[in-house]
Amino acid sequence: MRIEWTEDLSTGVPEMDEQHRRLIALLNEFYTAVERGEREEGIRLLFEGVDQYALFHFSAEEAFMEPIGYPDLASHRETHRMFRREYLTAAERYKAGNRKAVRDLVAFLFSWLYTHIQKTDKRYGIFARRPAGQE
Ligand SMILES: [Fe+2]
């Protein structure tokens, strides 16, 4: 399973959409490498690449939500934190020799990201576009 960025994932914030596209591309790369049974070193680098990019992207989103006074910033930030915890746990399981962990992780990443963008990220886009004077 691969996922593609489509218009229905658009937050209406071009910078964030661009980062989501990049994140999805990285996940697809990760997925392909896992499916191909790529060597451990390659998988490890992809693990790190996704982690680094996700961290960068989450901070960028939080930095976007903060100055506009987005009311759900705290819970959104918590969701990002929970995601990272899950991600690192899966990475640990993989390092400890659980090869199935990486497949579980990829499945988790895809469904998490898709739902997160659709249900949570889109809301800051709607908030950012609200007419002036409406909170
Ligand atoms: Fe987010």
Side-chain angles (χ1 to χ4, degrees):
M1 178 194 82
R2 290 170 63 92
I3 57 171
E4 301 297 332
W5 188 92
T6 49
E7 276 301 320
D8 67 316
L9 287 181
S10 178
T11 60
V13 183
E15 187 193 352
M16 295 309 149
D17 287 353
E18 197 42 52
Q19 293 182 11
H20 286 150
R21 276 198 204 94
R22 173 85 190 115
L23 197 51
I24 288 171
L26 279 173
L27 290 184
N28 283 329
E29 228 177 277
F30 191 13
Y31 172 76
T32 308
V34 171
E35 285 300 293
R36 272 206 220 110
E38 183 122 352
R39 287 178 306 120
E40 221 159 283
E41 177 63 12
I43 299 284
R44 199 181 54 78
L45 285 174
L46 286 163
F47 247 132
E48 279 166 21
V50 169
D51 188 40
Q52 289 308 307
Y53 196 78
L55 267 184
F56 157 77
H57 168 63
F58 292 162
S59 325
E61 274 190 344
E62 291 164 18
F64 171 80
M65 291 185 269
E66 212 166 335
I68 60 169
Y70 184 61
D72 294 329
L73 172 62
S75 67
H76 197 138
R77 191 177 263 148
E78 187 50 35
T79 311
H80 288 163
R81 237 183 257 134
M82 271 161 45
F83 168 82
R84 182 125 204 276
R85 225 176 292 139
E86 290 268 354
Y87 187 84
L88 294 180
T89 305
E92 284 311 314
R93 288 211 311 270
Y94 177 75
K95 278 183 209 147
N98 182 350
R99 294 296 168 257
K100 196 181 158 288
V102 75
R103 283 174 162 273
D104 293 348
L105 178 67
V106 173
F108 162 75
L109 288 171
F110 277 125
S111 70
W112 185 87
L113 186 68
Y114 199 83
T115 317
H116 181 73
I117 296 175
Q118 273 229 320
K119 303 232 181 294
T120 311
D121 290 344
K122 274 187 169 188
R123 282 200 234 127
Y124 62 63
I126 293 167
F127 183 80
R129 290 190 303 277
R130 77 202 181 287
Q134 268 183 39
E135 289 304 310

